[in-house]
């Protein structure tokens, strides 16, 4: 579906279902340089299982218009505007990577709108290395190469896709190549500059599920202690041998975990 | 901070798509010789059917052994995904029918495999899909052949039988300017010699029967999607950008983004046309692909040495190969296929049709048959076999001289090859 927010068209994948205010809702937030297509499997699952699904394209991403938002806080305000625009009072918010920071910031600010949060591949703070930032600033293909290769666990570099016939590195890279110039840098910089994340996490009352990849070199599980320490009600699941791209590396295990909270 | 690295083509040819079997520990890819798969529950079944979970339903649509092969070729070509098919012809058919419908049109290189020519020139028109054939080196003609209803540009990396090197960067530019994808048959070159996606191609097809396998024991094809073509901006591909009634109004681009084409090809084409590969065939092709780099280099080395020999031989009138300076695409070949132009070439035996027949009949090591890409050296004399009904004039029109021999150079010891072919050439002159 399409709605209009701040005078820009916004695309929301709903699993081809009309929204029903009586049903529980889940809002999916993608990561750096990506779009709603990373959520295709859970979108279709939850839409068939009596959930309102809102898999958004953030501004300037995928099919949404406007410029990419420059801070995590602005993105958090924006996803709540999505709830407003679609008539949804509360939703589970599930993010991947940068999207997890948006879910944290939204849950901290709008406790009455966020039922629970699912954080897939997360850590707070989420610093971005200078070589990656500078490559992204220059719109260099190196940035996409780094995000793709670091973003997949060592095992995924040899394949073994759960989805028959798909080459995960190729798919991940191609999706980011679709991002307009400047989008990846803006996203990475927003992650890098989100310095109040732990403070936000401390103020979250709802349940948080962290889904981490054992071989994730971008948000390694060992770096999440500060975040889990700040959250008052959290649980952590570590997916064996998975890297950061868990939605393509371990799609079914991710879905199984999300079913518990969504 | 060091730049991230990943595996090279040689390593991916051995490993991509397969890890040791988690249940049995089997190191080799198991052959999952099964038609169907047990669901855990009715909801599990529904979720796989509805693309909510991964998994297999029926081996016409996907199979775990085939999936390894599909992933491996995607890794080697740099694509997003692939589908293994019953043959190379089936791969081309699947690619075309995923995109085109009756009333639409293809622009194709005229220098293509005879089987593909038959499909495009005679069979697809029965279903309302027409093709205009053009000289692959005449880019003006290619551009001029594009019509409002054109939906695809097609060519081979190295053409057949003239060995024209397709200028993929230029031809892809022509196609893309018209909002069309470029489909490339890369059978002759394999990803070891040429990676068309890096040059602008959008879809690759292979006859995996040939160099990818190397052993000549199975028939198979592969359709590979680069994920690069912008179907939506083109506005010419409703099969990918409009709701599909055959799958609950699924809009493939909207839901699968860069994987739209290959997903539609599987969810519709593999399901409905059914030209699937046997898992045992996929296993055999995987065995061949493990040694792709070693074999292709040997094919290439032998080809160059054999050409040197033939060029010196008094019974040989001419040799046609893009690496030779006199070939019209010599400079282009150096740029686009720098590792080599492959192991298929043609040469002319002095003395015409009869001499060509005597050459073939004298060979002992080299096999006379209608195939290419075997690890064994293969030859064919078109004037006395595939084109035997043609008179001299008709042969000339087809670009085939009476003494033309097409050879697919194998990986035997080059000394033995030269000995056998030398005997054949001497016999050819004893008429």
């Amino acid at each position: 579906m399409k709605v209009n927010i701040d005078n820009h068209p916004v695309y929301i994948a709903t699993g081809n279902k009309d929204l029903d205010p009586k049903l529980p809702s889940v809002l999916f937030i993608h990561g750096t340089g990506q779009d709603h297509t990373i959520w295709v499997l859970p979108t279709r699952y939850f839409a068939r299982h009596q959930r309102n699904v809102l898999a958004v394209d953030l501004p300037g991403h995928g099919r949404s218009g406007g410029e990419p938002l420059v801070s995590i806080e602005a993105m958090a305000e924006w996803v709540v505007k999505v709830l407003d625009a679609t008539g949804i009072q509360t939703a589970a918010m599930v993010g991947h990577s940068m999207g997890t920071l948006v879910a944290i910031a939204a849950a901290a600010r709008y406790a009455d709108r966020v039922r629970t949060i699912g954080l897939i591949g997360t850590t707070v703070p989420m610093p971005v290395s200078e070589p990656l930032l500078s490559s992204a600033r220059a719109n260099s293909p190196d940035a996409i190469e780094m995000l793709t290769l670091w973003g997949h666990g060592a095992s995924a570099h040899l394949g073994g896709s759960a989805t028959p016939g798909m080459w995960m590195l190729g798919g991940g890279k191609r999706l980011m190549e679709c991002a307009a110039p400047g989008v990846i840098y803006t996203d990475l910089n927003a992650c890098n500059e989100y310095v109040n994340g732990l403070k936000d996490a401390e103020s979250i009352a709802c349940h948080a599920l962290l889904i981490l990849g054992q071989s994730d070199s971008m948000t390694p599980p060992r770096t999440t202690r500060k975040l889990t320490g700040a959250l008052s009600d959290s649980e952590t699941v570590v997916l064996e041998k998975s890297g950061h791209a868990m939605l393509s590396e371990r799609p079914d295990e991710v879905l199984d975990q999300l079913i518990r909270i969504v | 901070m060091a730049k991230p690295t990943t595996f090279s083509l040689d390593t991916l040819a051995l490993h991509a798509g397969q890890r040791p079997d988690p249940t049995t520990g089997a190191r080799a890819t198991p052959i999952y010789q099964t038609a169907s798969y047990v669901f855990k529950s009715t909801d599990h079944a529904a979720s796989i059917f509805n693309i909510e979970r991964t998994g297999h339903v029926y081996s016409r649509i996907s199979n775990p052994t085939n999936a390894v092969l599909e992933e491996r070729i995607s890794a080697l070509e740099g694509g997003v995904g692939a589908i293994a098919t019953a043959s190379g012809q089936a791969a081309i058919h699947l690619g075309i029918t995923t995109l085109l419908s009756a009333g639409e049109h293809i622009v194709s290189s005229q220098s293509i495999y005879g089987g593909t020519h038959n499909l495009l020139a005679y069979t697809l028109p029965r279903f309302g899909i027409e093709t205009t054939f053009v000289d692959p080196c005449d880019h003006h003609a290619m551009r001029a052949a594009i019509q409002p209803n054109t939906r695809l540009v097609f060519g081979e990396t190295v053409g057949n039988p003239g060995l024209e090197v397709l200028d993929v960067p230029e031809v892809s530019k022509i196609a893309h300017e018209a909002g069309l994808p470029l489909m490339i048959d890369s059978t002759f070159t394999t990803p070891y010699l040429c990676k068309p996606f890096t040059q602008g191609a959008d879809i690759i097809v292979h006859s995996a029967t040939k160099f990818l396998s190397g052993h000549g024991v199975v028939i198979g094809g592969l359709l590979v999607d680069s994920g690069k073509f912008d179907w939506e901006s083109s506005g010419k591909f409703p099969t990918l950008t409009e709701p599909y009634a055959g799958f609950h109004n699924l809009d493939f681009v909207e839901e699968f983004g860069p994987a739209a084409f290959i997903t539609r090809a599987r969810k519709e084409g593999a399901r409905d046309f059914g030209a699937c590969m046997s898992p045992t065939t996929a296993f055999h092709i995987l065995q061949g692909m493990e040694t792709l780099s070693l074999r292709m280099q040997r094919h290439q080395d032998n080809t160059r040495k054999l050409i040197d020999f033939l060029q010196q031989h008094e019974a040989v009138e001419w040799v046609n190969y893009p690496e030779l300076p006199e070939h019209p695409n010599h400079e282009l070949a150096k740029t686009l296929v720098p590792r080599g132009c492959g192991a298929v070439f043609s040469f002319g035996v002095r003395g015409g049709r009869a001499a060509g027949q005597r050459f073939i009949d004298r060979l002992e090591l080299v096999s006379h048959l209608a195939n290419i890409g075997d690890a064994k050296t293969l030859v064919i004399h078109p004037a006395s076999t595939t084109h035997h009904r043609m008179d001299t004039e008709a042969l000339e029109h087809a670009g085939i001289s009476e003494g033309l021999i097409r050879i697919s150079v194998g990986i035997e010891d080059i000394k033995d090859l030269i000995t056998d072919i030398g005997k054949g050439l001497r016999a050819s002159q004893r008429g």
Side-chain angles (χ1 to χ4, degrees), chain A:
Chain A
M1 70 184 293
K2 286 232 167 174
V3 296
N4 208 290
I5 294 175
D6 299 334
N7 297 317
H8 294 294
V10 171
Y11 176 81
I12 306 167
T14 63
N16 290 324
K17 295 277 172 71
D18 293 332
L19 301 181
D20 178 352
K22 295 191 291 295
L23 294 177
S25 302
V26 53
L27 188 145
F28 290 110
I29 313 160
H30 60 76
T32 293
Q34 300 181 320
D35 65 20
H36 69 278
T37 58
I38 67 163
W39 304 106
V40 62
L41 301 183
T43 295
R44 297 177 66 81
Y45 178 88
F46 288 114
R48 189 172 64 85
H49 286 81
Q50 284 70 55
R51 298 289 186 278
N52 293 318
V53 176
L54 301 99
V56 300
D57 283 349
L58 289 166
H61 295 70
R63 294 165 172 239
S64 288
E67 292 296 314
L69 300 172
V70 297
S71 73
I72 297 299
E73 291 85 348
M75 294 180 210
E77 297 292 338
W78 184 87
V79 294
V80 173
K81 288 181 185 174
V82 170
L83 296 183
D84 293 340
T86 53
I88 302 295
Q89 180 54 38
T90 63
M93 285 200 184
V94 177
H96 173 246
S97 196
M98 177 183 77
T100 66
L101 304 183
V102 180
I104 289 168
R109 285 160 181 74
Y110 296 94
D112 58 330
R113 310 297 298 273
V114 182
R115 177 162 52 88
T116 183
I117 53 175
L119 310 174
I120 305 168
T122 191
T123 193
V124 177
M126 194 180 280
V128 180
S129 71
E130 184 47 39
L132 177 52
L133 263 183
S134 57
S135 291
R137 191 185 294 115
N139 289 309
S140 163
D142 288 351
I144 292 174
E145 194 79 0
M146 289 184 217
L147 287 165
T148 304
L149 298 183
W150 284 329
H152 289 79
S155 177
H157 281 233
L158 290 176
S161 171
T163 304
M166 303 307 288
W167 178 239
M168 292 179 280
L169 266 64
K173 182 178 177 185
R174 204 69 75 231
L175 181 58
M176 278 190 282
E177 286 173 346
C178 295
V183 168
I184 290 175
Y185 171 71
T186 305
D187 289 352
L188 290 173
N189 196 52
C191 295
N192 199 44
E193 294 190 347
Y194 180 48
V195 294
N196 294 320
L198 290 174
K199 206 168 143 191
D200 282 349
E202 283 172 3
S203 65
I204 293 174
C206 70
H207 181 69
L209 168 64
L210 283 72
I211 305 173
L212 309 177
Q214 183 190 40
S215 306
D216 184 345
S217 58
M218 299 191 80
T219 55
R222 63 183 156 72
T223 65
T224 59
R225 288 191 201 107
K226 287 180 187 168
L227 175 60
T228 52
L231 291 164
S232 60
D233 175 14
S234 73
E235 60 175 321
T236 299
V237 174
V238 178
L239 303 182
E240 193 183 351
K241 290 189 177 177
S242 183
H244 191 63
M246 279 164 271
L247 287 154
S248 59
E249 294 181 63
R250 295 286 188 282
D252 298 320
E253 289 97 320
V254 169
L255 179 60
D256 286 338
Q257 295 302 326
L258 292 179
I259 288 168
R260 296 193 298 110
I261 65 161
V262 168

